[in-house]
Amino acid sequence: MIANKSIFVAVLMGSDSDLPLMQTTLDTLKKLAVPYEVKITSAHRTPTATKEYVADAEARGCGVFIAAAGLAAHLAGTVAGLTLKPVIGVPIDAGPLQGMDSLLSTVQMPGGIPVACVAIGKAGAKNAAYLAAQMLSLADENLTERLHQERADNAAAVIAKDQALQAQHA
């Protein structure tokens, strides 16, 4: 989904190898009907392009940036240094440390340049979309209602699973 003049979420990845994990983010944003853009850009390999994209996206109405990267994971911090919009970092569970290095790189930002950080891996990728939607819902009552419905649907699914379990063990 490509955003036009409405507010949108920019989902940035350091590499195309991050896409299988970050597809969870994109699917969740789509499910919540939150407009988004997705881009591969690197804090280290394409710093000028990253800077240009952040400025352009912000000018076109980006409300939240989600940045996913593995290993040194400087993408979220780089983006946060370029914008005052909220930035959510998703540590990728890759490399010899299975994402612990990414987690520490994402959460250890200097004071005054915040990055919200979610869990390592798939749960974090999904929660980044929910967190971005919650941020945008502060100014969008329809999105707030969609989020409430999503929570209600999740609760109903858990209750149904418990009822099935109880029926098996009655």
Side-chain angles (χ1 to χ4, degrees):
M1 180 183 302
I2 298 294
N4 41 24
K5 298 210 181 226
S6 64
I7 194 164
F8 66 95
V9 174
V11 180
L12 309 178
M13 294 173 275
S15 170
D16 63 341
S17 64
D18 301 334
L19 182 57
L21 175 70
M22 293 307 291
Q23 189 63 49
T24 304
T25 303
L26 305 178
D27 292 345
T28 303
L29 290 169
K30 188 177 290 186
K31 180 179 180 180
L32 294 170
V34 173
Y36 67 86
E37 290 183 0
V38 60
K39 183 162 184 68
I40 296 170
T41 190
S42 171
H44 303 120
R45 294 172 295 222
T46 61
T48 302
T50 300
K51 182 178 180 179
E52 290 169 355
Y53 176 77
V54 169
D56 178 63
E58 193 170 18
R60 291 183 294 108
C62 179
V64 179
F65 290 89
I66 296 174
L71 306 173
H74 292 139
L75 185 57
T78 296
V79 173
L82 297 169
T83 184
L84 294 178
K85 300 295 183 184
V87 177
I88 302 167
V90 180
I92 302 292
D93 51 350
L97 300 179
Q98 292 300 297
M100 286 302 295
D101 47 352
S102 301
L103 174 66
L104 295 174
S105 295
T106 304
V107 299
Q108 289 299 109
M109 291 297 298
I113 311 294
V115 170
C117 184
V118 292
I120 298 169
K122 190 171 183 177
K126 188 172 192 177
N127 281 340
Y130 281 109
L131 184 55
Q134 288 174 314
M135 290 173 177
L136 295 179
S137 77
L138 294 171
D140 183 340
E141 291 180 21
N142 291 327
L143 180 53
T144 300
E145 186 54 39
R146 292 193 300 274
L147 286 163
H148 279 297
Q149 186 60 54
E150 177 73 13
R151 289 268 178 108
D153 292 347
N154 286 338
V158 170
I159 291 167
K161 288 176 184 179
D162 179 57
Q163 288 173 342
L165 176 69
Q166 297 309 314
Q168 287 177 348
H169 296 281

